[in-house]
Each structure stands twice: as C-alpha cells, then as structure tokens.
Amino acid sequence: MAVFSAIVLFVMGAALAFGGGWLVALGGSWYYLIAGLACLVTSALLFVRQPAARTVYALVLAGTLAWALWEVGFDWWPLGTRGGIPVLVGLWLLLPWAVGDGRRWDFGRIALAAVIVVSIGVAGYALTQNPHEKSGTLAAGAGEAVLQAGSVPDGDWHHYGRTLQGQRYSPLTQINPGNVAQLAVAWTYRTGDVRREDDVEETTYQVTPLKVGNLLYLCTPHHIAIALDAATGEERWRFDPEIPLDPNRQHQTCRGVSYFAGTDLQAADEACATRIYLPTSDARLIALDARTGRTCPDFGEDGAVDLWANMPNQKSGYYYSTSPPVVAQGLVIIGGAVNDNYAMDSPSGVIRAYDARSGALVWNWDSGNPERTEPLPPGATYTPNSPNSWSVSSADEELGLVYVPLGNRTPDQLGMGRSDAVERFSSSVVALEIGTGRVRWVFQTVHHDLWDMDVPAQPALLDLTTDQGTRPAIVIPTKQGDIYVLDRATGEPILPVREVPAPGGAIPEDFTAPTQPVSALTFNPSTLRGRDMWGVSLFDQLACRIAFRSLRYEGRYTPPSLEGTLVYPGNFGTFNWGSVAVDPVNQTMFGMPTYVAFTSRLIPADEISPDARANAGEAGLNLNVGGPYGVIMQPFTSPLGLPCHAPPWGYVAGVDLRTGTVAWRHKNGTIRDAAPVPLPIRIGVPGIGGPIITAGGVAFLGAAIDNYLRGYDVATGETLWEQRLPAGGQSTPMTYEADGRQFVVHVAGGHGSIGTDAGDYVIAYALPRN
C-alpha cells in the first residue's frame, strides 16, 4: 500500500510539476510547480516508507489552502475544486497502511490531520457564503403603462413582446407570489415537428406563441404554422409551407409569427380579414387567414412574398428569416439572417416594408446605401454583405418609428474593406420612420466590431421618470453586457454613456477602434485573470490556466489574432435574442445575464485543408470563402468540456431603470442536465431565451440549460416555483387569459448547439379551478 501511495503521489506530482513548469514559462502562477515538486518528494519518502512523508504532504496541503484562500477567498466552487483532490489524498495518507507505519500518531500524522480538519472547516464555511449574489428589493415605481394606438387587450398577447413596445409585460394579476406555487399543467400539445437526422446543428425551438381572442398562434422549427384553442390546447388549424431541408443553412428555427387586423381590410366575416404572417427559412413571407390557416391569395404572389427579390449573391441557404416581422401602421416590416462567416460574398441585410394587404413593397432600407429607401426596379440589387437584422424590432406608432437592432457585416472578425455606411450602422440600433424607412437616428454599441457583437435583442420601450420629467425611453440589451437606456425620440442617452480606451494591435490588414462605449447600466464582467480559471480538479484547472496564458487577452475587445484570442463575454452574449422584460408601471427590468468565454483564432486561407470540416455551425472552423482568413471559434472549455472560467455562469437580476441600479442578482439554474451525475446543484448556468414579467409580481423564465421553467418574485428575485420540462426550454414564455383563468405557456423543444434535450412540446400552466 505504501508503494501504491507513492505511485499515486508520483503521478500527481509529475503532472503538476510538468504543467506547472509550463505555466511558469508562460508567466503564470508558481503554485502548481512548487506543489508538484513537493508531491514528488512525498512520493520518494513513501516509497522508502518514511513517516516524514505525511509531514511534507501536510505542508503541501497547508500551502494549497493558503494559496486558494489568497486567490479566491471563501468562494466555494473555485475553493473546493482547488482543495478537493489534495484533501482526499491527505485522508488516504492518514490511514495506517498508506505509509506502512501502523497506527502510531506521530507529528506528521497529527499535523496532516489538523490541516485536513482546518481545510474541511474552511470549505464548510465557504458553503454558507454567496459572494456573487446581491440581495435587495425592487421598489415600486409611479409610472404608467404605455398605451398606444392599437393597444392589446389585457388578456391577449398580439406581438412577439406582447405589444409593439417589446416589454414582455402582462397586466394580468391572477397569478401572484402568494399562489404561483400552485401552478400545474393545464394542457400539453405536441406539434409533431421533431428534429431530423439530416437537420443542421443549429436546429432549435425558440418560438413565443401569440394569443388573439380565443386562439394561440405559433410556428415550429421547420416553419409549420399552427393555431390552438387557448383554453384547451386543441389544434384548430395547421399550415405546412413544405420547406425543403438545406445543409447550407446556419440556423433552422422560427421565433414567432406576426398578427394583423387592419380596419381597412375586408369585413370581419370575410376571408383574410385578420392575418398571420409567417417568415420561412427558404426566404418567403407568407400571409395566412388567422381563422382558417389558408393562404391569402391577394398578398404577394399566391399569398407569399419572395425575400430573394433584388438580393445580391443569391445562394440557397445563405439568407432567410428566423424572427417575426413587425406589423405597424398597415406595413409588415421584416429583416433577415445571413450565414455568419461562410463567405465574403453574402446577401444584403436590407430591411423591407410591405403593404399588409397586397404585399407590395413600400420601402426598403439598406444599411449599405442608407439614403435610398424607394423600392428598387427589377434587375437592381441591394448592397451585398451589409449589416443585417436577424432579431426582432420594436415600434412606437405615435412617434412613427420602428427600432431595428442591427448585426455586423460578415465576416465578423475581419473589418477591412468596410464602407463608411457599414462602419456607421454595424452593431447598432437604428430608428427608421415607419412610413418611409428614412433614418431618424442611429446609436452604435460597438465601434468597428470584430467580435460578432450584434445587437441581438428586441429593444423595450417605456416612459421613464427622470429628473427632467417623463421621457420616452428605449432599453437596449447587448451581447457585451451593456444595457443602453436612450431617449427613443432622439437617440440621446438617458443613463450616461462614456467612451473608454480599448485594446489595439489588430492584424496588419485591419485596425481597431481606439475607444468603445460603456453604459452606466452594465453587466459586463470583470476582466479575467489566471486565478479566475476553473476546473473540477487541480489538473483541468491547470490546463485552463495554460490555455489562458497561451491566448491573447487584454480584456474586453481584444482583437482577433493568429495565435488565438480570448473573447469575453463571448459571442454567445451576456444577453441574446431573449432580451429582457420591462415593467412600464414600476419602471423595472428583469434580465438573465449569461457569461461564457469564447476563443477566436484566424487561419490564413492557404493553410486551410480542402478536406477540413467547416461551417457546421457558428462554432468550429468557418471558412470566409473569398477572404484572406478563416476563423475557428469555440467555447473556452476545459479538457472535460466545462467552462474554463469559474462559475456562476448565469444569473437573474432586477434593475431599477430610473437610476440604473441593480437591486438584486441571484445565481440561476442547476447542473442537473449538464453533469454526468444529475444533481440539482444551483451553480448558476448559461441560458438562451427570455423572461416575461407580470403585474401580479411574478416573472417567468425557462432558457437555462437545465430543463426547468421557473417563476420568480420580481421584487426580490426569489424562485417561487419551478416545473420540470420534458425537453430543453430555450424559448421565451408568454401569458394570457382564457375562460377566466390566467395561463402561462412555454415551448420545450431544445437547442441544437447547446445540446439540450430535443422535443416538440407546448405546455400551458394554470392555477387550479378552485
């Protein structure tokens, strides 16, 4: 047994010494090298059965404890994983046969036992601490809900964010903190649209249904439109556009449909008096009769508009719409997604407005040619490869403005050759006149974006109480963690925005912006350090430290490089398309900030093998065909596949928008569905999807990588209710009233690249009838 102990300590010491020496050569911590050498000394003493081995190892363990406390304090997860294996080895060495000296309690055994007891005590105390959380209460405000022309009945949900304002706020109050724990499944519907073997990796179910009258409207990942009875979940109609699969698509998803009931349409009892607009992944916009699901033949050509019209660089699968259009003032306003980093010659990011009745093109706004908004003649094309809008827009019909979140020109990591117009509009929100498409104002969130920091989320609109009186506000969540609060009439900041110096040193062909904007309201994480690297043991943590020191990283906005750059927050986004939920009465915000680092490495085009697996999704090798460099993007993970930086990786947070202060922040989600052992340990996990908020004081959110839908107390962030889902819940819920009951509906279908369980479930929850 002593020989076995010696072998264990030799392997442990050799691994730590070798890796530690490598880390020291990179300028990192000396701990691993010193600990490794000490373990080798312990191994030698064990091999010759010297009780002094315990004394040496007691010093190793005491040094480990002191080093861990110095680096991370009483933060349990990084503290526990630093000391876990060393403490277990120490417990083994306490056993009589581990050293071969019987049961005699000499100085070494006593010292080792004492250090182990202290280590366990420190770990126990750390378990009681929550250094990353903030407790508090969101105070009630004195605002008024924004009610505009065409406002939505309290019990309905007519738009993606319930209203054109994108607030994800419902005035319903039947469900409240006192009774939300009683929510139970009222009905379940299966769409039948399941993930297929030949689907692209990014096949995801992200839809938020609409509720109008007594019907729910939704779409599936393959763009089948469905209407359900809102009270029972029974299918009323189904429309399948029969879209062929295309391996060229980067995404296969449908986030929602749009509804229209214009007063100038036909009489209410005629066909297509009310309409559902369905965007598709083969680049069509289809108008359906909201009552029957049949196409509206007077819209476009046989009920559809071809979004490839006037589009340059037409290649199947390279352009499509994943998000529902905005329907405002009799117009259907739609953008589209392009495949990121597939090719230099990409379609245009044009925004187009179509007449809601006829489907005639009324205006087009091309960010590469922003002054020309009149429809193009046949044969003309929009600007190729201009910034696009793949997410959801908001609108203020009283101001006559639509607010469009814009992405970056592809390829995202190569900024050379961008025009002045592209530099102006990339990664921004632009306010366009609903009637004409002309630019009213633009606010850029990243200058010369080289990191795929698209504005990914629907902006939320509300009237905000300030020292200067009530102001029309727009709340803009971003991938990099900043939340900008602007005057939506002018684009001027309400909460301060400052420019801060940014890292330089781009590749020779490119450049970086000298400064970048930072909002006073930000969830941007602190700059990573070596001590922030993490693993479930010292060994994978050491591997992460070596990887960290091998990458280029000077903080947020470190430019892409040939040696590899750490991008944090990564392009997964602190906030993504799920956006945030805003209470316009209390003037508060509920959000789900997520933290996952990515790596980005440029590869010269002539070094890429023609047989390399490429463009299988956003992660991995992306070719940028026709450009000088491809790019490899990956989550920054350990050899075990876990994030290399310490948890928490996901939170829920409550914000007072009047002051821009975070009232509370709590870890969100467990490792139950991500760990080899399904334990519901609340560590704070990543998520993608969005929250909703209700006047009853409860917020609802799925999204996290564990399969749960949860209800939260909006005032404190406390989790009041959670329900196990049959599949991944990477979507945004909604709520409505039917037959006197308030329902909460969530879609559970999973997310391809995140790897959550696939499914086809639409689940409604309600309080018991009694």
Side-chain angles (χ1 to χ4, degrees):
M1 282 297 176
V3 173
F4 173 76
S5 302
I7 292 172
V8 170
L9 265 295
F10 177 82
V11 172
M12 179 175 170
L16 290 176
F18 176 78
W22 187 358
L23 182 61
V24 168
L26 293 171
S29 171
W30 281 75
Y31 162 77
Y32 302 90
L33 175 60
I34 295 170
L37 293 174
C39 286
L40 291 174
V41 172
T42 305
S43 172
L45 292 171
L46 286 169
F47 190 75
V48 296
R49 293 175 174 78
Q50 288 293 318
R54 290 196 183 96
T55 303
V56 174
Y57 193 76
L59 293 173
V60 172
L61 195 55
T64 298
L65 177 61
W67 163 77
L69 287 171
W70 174 71
E71 282 209 323
V72 300
F74 294 100
D75 188 354
W76 160 248
W77 285 104
L79 183 68
T81 53
R82 280 166 168 80
I85 288 179
V87 167
L88 290 176
V89 172
L91 287 169
W92 170 261
L93 292 180
L94 284 179
L95 299 174
W97 53 80
V99 180
D101 61 345
R103 299 178 181 277
R104 184 168 57 89
W105 280 82
D106 58 7
F107 173 79
R109 179 174 276 171
I110 294 171
L112 181 56
V115 176
I116 290 173
V117 169
V118 172
S119 298
I120 293 174
V122 168
Y125 175 75
L127 279 170
T128 68
Q129 305 302 298
N130 288 304
H132 301 283
E133 297 203 358
K134 179 180 181 180
S135 296
T137 302
L138 276 173
E144 294 183 0
V146 177
L147 297 176
Q148 297 180 327
S151 61
V152 177
D154 286 357
D156 279 9
W157 192 287
H158 285 195
H159 303 271
Y160 179 77
R162 186 177 174 272
T163 66
L164 284 172
Q165 292 82 45
Q167 296 164 350
R168 292 163 191 76
Y169 168 83
S170 169
L172 297 178
T173 60
Q174 187 180 95
I175 299 170
N176 58 60
N179 61 23
V180 64
Q182 301 175 46
L183 279 182
V185 174
W187 53 259
T188 299
Y189 171 79
R190 303 287 298 273
T191 69
D193 186 3
V194 296
R195 194 175 298 168
R196 310 170 191 174
E197 289 186 2
D198 48 354
D199 269 327
V200 297
E201 182 181 10
E202 287 282 343
T203 297
T204 60
Y205 202 7
Q206 301 174 344
V207 68
T208 298
L210 307 183
K211 191 266 187 180
V212 183
N214 60 359
L215 292 180
L216 293 179
Y217 300 100
L218 59 126
C219 55
T220 70
H222 297 94
H223 295 264
I224 299 170
I226 298 171
L228 304 177
D229 185 284
T232 67
E234 295 178 8
E235 184 177 306
R236 292 294 179 239
W237 58 254
R238 166 183 292 244
F239 172 80
D240 187 350
E242 299 180 349
I243 297 169
L245 295 180
D246 192 328
N248 287 331
R249 287 185 199 125
Q250 195 170 43
H251 301 274
Q252 182 71 53
T253 194
C254 183
R255 297 190 183 96
V257 296
S258 301
Y259 172 77
F260 180 54
T263 57
D264 56 346
L265 286 173
Q266 297 95 327
D269 58 346
E270 294 185 8
C272 292
T274 55
R275 302 185 179 199
I276 293 295
Y277 296 98
L278 173 70
T280 69
S281 55
D282 60 353
R284 286 180 288 162
L285 176 62
I286 301 173
L288 304 173
D289 187 321
R291 294 184 303 168
T292 66
R294 299 188 182 95
T295 56
C296 298
D298 59 344
F299 183 82
E301 185 173 340
D302 296 325
V305 166
D306 181 11
L307 297 178
W308 279 113
N310 298 104
M311 190 65 73
N313 299 323
Q314 296 191 18
K315 184 175 181 179
S316 175
Y318 274 54
Y319 179 83
Y320 40 88
S321 186
T322 57
S323 297
V326 166
V327 180
Q329 294 184 355
L331 298 178
V332 185
I333 303 169
I334 190 168
V338 300
N339 288 343
D340 282 346
N341 306 316
Y342 277 37
M344 298 293 289
D345 296 328
S346 294
S348 177
V350 62
I351 311 299
R352 286 172 282 195
Y354 296 93
D355 185 281
R357 294 172 299 173
S358 67
L361 181 63
V362 176
W363 55 259
N364 40 236
W365 181 77
D366 175 359
S367 56
N369 186 17
E371 302 305 320
R372 182 175 182 177
T373 61
E374 69 274 13
L376 297 187
T381 58
Y382 303 113
T383 305
N385 204 13
S386 54
N388 65 305
S389 181
W390 54 266
S391 189
V392 186
S393 298
S394 304
D396 184 330
E397 290 185 305
E398 289 186 353
L399 288 176
L401 296 176
V402 57
Y403 303 94
V404 181
L406 289 175
N408 195 7
R409 168 180 166 165
T410 184
D412 292 282
Q413 289 75 26
L414 301 177
M416 48 277 208
R418 296 176 182 173
S419 67
D420 290 343
V422 168
E423 292 285 12
R424 179 188 177 196
F425 291 107
S426 286
S427 302
S428 69
V429 170
V430 59
L432 304 177
E433 294 177 359
I434 294 175
T436 67
R438 289 192 289 266
V439 176
R440 184 75 61 84
W441 56 259
V442 59
F443 182 88
Q444 189 169 64
T445 64
V446 183
H447 308 318
H448 194 66
D449 184 0
L450 301 174
W451 305 273
D452 190 19
M453 292 299 176
D454 306 340
V455 179
Q458 181 183 29
L461 316 181
L462 77 160
D463 291 343
L464 196 59
T465 303
T466 72
D467 293 339
Q468 292 78 40
T470 300
R471 298 183 66 179
I474 180 171
V475 179
I476 303 170
T478 65
K479 284 186 177 183
Q480 61 271 27
D482 290 304
I483 294 181
Y484 296 95
V485 181
L486 314 177
D487 186 308
R488 67 176 181 268
T490 65
E492 294 297 317
I494 294 175
L495 293 182
V497 177
R498 59 193 177 96
E499 293 282 334
V500 300
I507 57 175
E509 303 95 323
D510 208 345
F511 66 94
T512 59
T515 64
Q516 294 287 355
V518 175
S519 174
L521 175 55
T522 184
F523 286 89
N524 174 41
S526 300
T527 300
L528 290 174
R529 303 160 297 172
R531 66 182 60 185
D532 298 316
M533 297 301 103
W534 187 77
V536 296
S537 71
L538 281 176
F539 306 105
D540 52 323
Q541 181 195 114
L542 174 56
C544 284
R545 288 208 184 209
I546 292 170
F548 176 73
R549 285 285 177 176
S550 302
L551 293 165
R552 183 176 176 196
Y553 180 66
E554 293 101 46
R556 188 164 71 157
Y557 302 126
T558 303
S561 61
L562 295 172
E563 65 268 31
T565 291
L566 183 63
V567 182
Y568 185 62
N571 64 344
F572 185 85
T574 305
F575 299 97
N576 207 292
W577 54 263
S579 194
V580 297
V582 166
D583 181 337
V585 177
N586 292 311
Q587 302 182 40
T588 56
M589 186 199 90
F590 183 101
M592 182 191 66
T594 288
Y595 300 100
V596 178
F598 272 66
T599 62
S600 172
R601 182 162 66 93
L602 299 178
I603 309 293
D606 57 6
E607 296 180 12
I608 298 175
S609 168
D611 300 322
R613 184 174 185 268
N615 295 113
E618 290 192 30
L621 173 62
N622 281 229
L623 292 178
N624 297 329
V625 172
Y629 298 96
V631 61
I632 296 177
M633 295 177 295
Q634 298 284 2
F636 183 42
T637 56
S638 74
L640 299 179
L642 297 170
C644 260
H645 56 94
W649 304 301
Y651 297 88
V652 286
V655 175
D656 186 331
L657 290 170
R658 294 165 296 178
T659 61
T661 56
V662 178
W664 52 259
R665 181 183 65 226
H666 302 300
K667 292 181 289 187
N668 185 57
T670 72
I671 60 172
R672 172 168 176 168
D673 296 295
V677 180
L679 297 175
I681 300 172
R682 191 172 69 95
I683 191 174
V685 296
I688 189 163
I692 64 170
I693 198 169
T694 69
V698 181
F700 293 94
L701 172 70
I705 59 172
D706 59 352
N707 297 343
Y708 286 96
L709 175 65
R710 296 182 171 93
Y712 306 81
D713 187 321
V714 173
T716 65
E718 177 188 358
T719 301
L720 302 173
W721 169 82
E722 62 181 20
Q723 180 78 26
R724 187 81 176 144
L725 296 170
Q730 284 68 55
S731 59
T732 301
M734 51 84 72
T735 187
Y736 62 90
E737 186 274 333
D739 287 351
R741 304 173 77 191
Q742 182 180 352
F743 291 83
V744 175
V745 168
H746 193 60
V747 167
H751 193 286
S753 61
I754 293 178
T756 52
D757 296 332
D760 63 339
Y761 299 87
V762 183
I763 307 173
Y765 305 89
L767 297 172
R769 287 191 180 276
N770 59 356

